[in-house]
Amino acid sequence: MARLAQTAGLSDVQQEMLRTVKAFVDKEIIPYATDLEHKDEFPEVIVDGMKEMGLFGLTIAEDYGGLGESLLTYALVVEQIARGWMSISGVINTHFIVAYMINRHGTEEQKQRLLPKMATGELRGAFSMSEPECGSDVAAIKSRATVEGDEFVLNGQKMWLTNGARAGLVATLVRDDLGADSVYQNMTTFLVEKDAGFGETRPGLTIPGKIEKMGYKGVETTEMVLDGVRVPADAVLGGAAGRGRGFYQMMDGVEVGRVNVAARGCGISIRAFELAVRYAQQRRTFGKQIADHQAIAFKLAEMATKVEAAHLLMVNAARLKDAGERNDVEAGMAKLLASEYCVEVTQESFRIHGGYGYSKEYEIERLMREAPFLLIGEGTSEIQKTIISRGLLREYKAAQ
């Protein structure tokens, strides 16, 4: 965009990368996204293009075959990709979270073995925390690991795996009863490797099928059934020292995931505004373009302000994480505002389109079905408010 959602202080490398990604989105994603989305068809050609650009290894260190870029760079790339089609950003988001967790918490052997293949996109990652009876209530997880000799045996059912079928590696959080006082210290993250596809993809591990969704199509969302899945001890993220650290490792991953969801919200909002401002200058009523009616002009002003506010919060949260500072409150704020504003901006764009907005021939119809997902992904708005309020009360604790 010419004016909105610009980011100050970027390096020449970052700016060139974003120009390249934007050009790719404009040429290779936007013209095909609506047709692929209506068919619920996986975007193989687009994904191959992202592999060639190195986007699967964007944040993976150069020592492991990646580009070694920051969370901020990744978030700005995701913003552009989501502007084209949110499902494309879903293809790389969980992959990125898993790569981040391995880089941050994995053993050197895990990094050397997994990250180079993840950087090329040969090995794709999925992130598994939710279960049929628990989403944000992580303490209610029922899936568990038991020790049998030199192996762990995993049993349980997991839900809402983005890339569940195409992923060859799933970071999976399960109960691991170590006798700790806190339930959160009795959880371990396992790096479960499997074949791509549906059905039984390794002994005891089944991906039943694709979950049908209102939006967020093209990329598959699945369940995962663990029925006596045997994994070696070195499948624990971080090795022996990682046992009982799974909850904290996952929450670290979720923080960067919330920045990603905020970036997705910004991307959809930017696209919804682009569509609205263009249509408002093409459509004429009562002898003038509808952009000249104050009612529409004010909508555009409010939409643009929300786009800018959400983008700035997202950038701030990413920069804090890159600086090694705690960003749980800021990531929660960014995710909360960006997702809520995304829905509002998209709806206003839909209204500006009038009856045409309800037609599947117009792109805004797709955005209307995609935007609500962001209110739920990586924690609902209510969960974000809980995180934000707890952080604020911790910082502003009143003297007793």
Side-chain angles (χ1 to χ4, degrees), residues 42 44 51 121-126 163-170 192-202 205-208 220 222:
F42 187 79
E44 293 281 6
K51 288 180 181 179
E122 173 190 350
L123 178 66
R124 302 258 288 280
N163 298 315
R166 287 177 171 80
L169 176 68
V170 184
V192 181
E193 297 178 65
K194 68 177 187 65
D195 293 333
F198 293 100
E200 190 171 38
T201 58
R202 70 173 285 166
L205 191 155
T206 301
I207 304 296
E220 82 274 7
T222 73

Side-chain angles (χ1 to χ4, degrees), residues 17 27-28 77-78 80 110 131 147 149-150 163 169 196 208 227 242 264 278 284 295 306 324 333 335 350 379 387 396:
M17 185 174 294
K27 182 180 179 182
E28 305 294 342
V77 166
V78 166
Q80 279 300 322
Q110 289 168 343
E131 296 188 357
V147 179
D150 295 333
N163 298 315
L169 176 68
D227 184 11
R264 290 201 231 181
R278 183 176 66 193
R284 298 183 68 84
K306 289 175 179 178
M333 287 178 171
K335 195 275 178 183
F350 170 80
I387 293 168
Y396 290 87

Side-chain angles (χ1 to χ4, degrees), residues 221-339:
T221 304
T222 73
E223 301 175 58
M224 181 173 70
V225 179
L226 304 168
D227 184 11
V229 178
R230 293 182 174 273
V231 295
D234 62 8
V236 174
L237 177 60
R243 285 192 71 186
R245 296 285 302 168
F247 172 78
Y248 305 100
Q249 294 166 345
M250 281 276 176
M251 289 303 103
D252 189 24
V254 165
E255 279 188 13
V256 298
R258 285 178 177 144
V259 173
N260 172 281
V261 172
R264 290 201 231 181
C266 292
I268 293 176
S269 296
I270 291 168
R271 186 59 182 162
F273 176 80
E274 288 176 345
L275 295 172
V277 76
R278 183 176 66 193
Y279 184 81
Q281 294 174 84
Q282 294 172 343
R283 175 70 168 170
R284 298 183 68 84
T285 63
F286 305 103
K288 57 183 177 181
Q289 61 183 23
I290 64 173
D292 290 333
H293 294 291
Q294 191 177 72
I296 301 300
F298 280 10
K299 283 182 184 293
L300 294 172
E302 291 174 357
M303 292 163 67
T305 301
K306 289 175 179 178
V307 167
E308 192 73 359
H311 174 83
L312 291 171
L313 274 183
M314 179 270 291
V315 168
N316 180 59
R319 280 181 160 150
L320 282 173
K321 191 75 172 179
D322 283 333
E325 298 181 33
R326 185 168 183 169
N327 81 332
D328 54 339
V329 170
E330 290 78 11
M333 287 178 171
K335 195 275 178 183
L336 171 65
L337 198 75
S339 60

Side-chain angles (χ1 to χ4, degrees), residues 58-377:
L58 186 61
T59 61
I60 294 174
E62 293 181 4
D63 289 347
Y64 304 109
L67 298 179
E69 280 293 332
S70 63
L71 175 60
L72 174 62
T73 304
Y74 178 79
L76 295 175
V77 166
V78 166
E79 182 179 60
Q80 279 300 322
I81 291 175
R83 172 181 155 266
W85 183 16
M86 188 187 72
S87 294
I88 303 295
S89 65
V91 171
I92 58 174
N93 178 40
T94 53
H95 174 88
F96 161 69
I97 293 175
V98 176
Y100 170 85
M101 290 170 62
I102 293 171
N103 186 68
R104 184 77 180 268
H105 305 286
T107 64
E108 187 57 34
E109 186 277 331
Q110 289 168 343
K111 295 176 186 179
Q112 293 282 357
R113 182 167 57 87
L114 298 171
L115 290 180
K117 291 187 291 184
M118 295 185 77
T120 63
E122 173 190 350
L123 178 66
R124 302 258 288 280
F127 178 86
S128 178
M129 188 165 63
S130 295
E131 296 188 357
E133 297 180 15
C134 78
S136 298
D137 183 11
V138 182
I141 280 178
K142 295 180 180 178
S143 299
R144 66 178 58 243
T146 54
V147 179
E148 291 190 10
D150 295 333
E151 297 180 312
F152 289 89
V153 181
L154 310 182
N155 288 281
Q157 184 179 2
K158 310 298 284 188
M159 283 291 292
W160 311 118
L161 279 74
T162 302
N163 298 315
R166 287 177 171 80
L169 176 68
V170 184
T172 308
L173 183 67
V174 300
R175 299 180 71 93
D176 181 14
D177 296 326
L178 297 168
D181 294 335
S182 169
V183 63
Y184 300 109
Q185 294 174 347
N186 286 309
M187 294 184 181
T188 296
T189 297
F190 287 87
L191 299 174
V192 181
E193 297 178 65
K194 68 177 187 65
D195 293 333
F198 293 100
E200 190 171 38
T201 58
R202 70 173 285 166
L205 191 155
T206 301
I207 304 296
K210 185 169 63 175
I211 298 172
E212 298 296 331
K213 300 163 294 189
M214 176 178 77
Y216 199 28
K217 295 177 180 290
V219 58
E220 82 274 7
T221 304
T222 73
E223 301 175 58
M224 181 173 70
V225 179
L226 304 168
D227 184 11
V229 178
R230 293 182 174 273
V231 295
D234 62 8
V236 174
L237 177 60
R243 285 192 71 186
R245 296 285 302 168
F247 172 78
Y248 305 100
Q249 294 166 345
M250 281 276 176
M251 289 303 103
D252 189 24
V254 165
E255 279 188 13
V256 298
R258 285 178 177 144
V259 173
N260 172 281
V261 172
R264 290 201 231 181
C266 292
I268 293 176
S269 296
I270 291 168
R271 186 59 182 162
F273 176 80
E274 288 176 345
L275 295 172
V277 76
R278 183 176 66 193
Y279 184 81
Q281 294 174 84
Q282 294 172 343
R283 175 70 168 170
R284 298 183 68 84
T285 63
F286 305 103
K288 57 183 177 181
Q289 61 183 23
I290 64 173
D292 290 333
H293 294 291
Q294 191 177 72
I296 301 300
F298 280 10
K299 283 182 184 293
L300 294 172
E302 291 174 357
M303 292 163 67
T305 301
K306 289 175 179 178
V307 167
E308 192 73 359
H311 174 83
L312 291 171
L313 274 183
M314 179 270 291
V315 168
N316 180 59
R319 280 181 160 150
L320 282 173
K321 191 75 172 179
D322 283 333
E325 298 181 33
R326 185 168 183 169
N327 81 332
D328 54 339
V329 170
E330 290 78 11
M333 287 178 171
K335 195 275 178 183
L336 171 65
L337 198 75
S339 60
E340 293 286 350
Y341 276 1
C342 176
V343 172
E344 294 173 14
V345 169
T346 302
Q347 187 174 80
E348 291 292 11
S349 181
F350 170 80
R351 290 180 172 183
I352 287 172
H353 279 79
Y356 289 104
Y358 210 62
S359 168
K360 284 183 174 288
E361 295 181 15
Y362 279 70
E363 191 177 341
I364 190 61
E365 179 269 342
R366 170 171 60 85
L367 302 187
M368 280 290 291
R369 289 183 289 104
E370 290 178 340
F373 168 77
L374 300 177
L375 299 175
I376 302 166

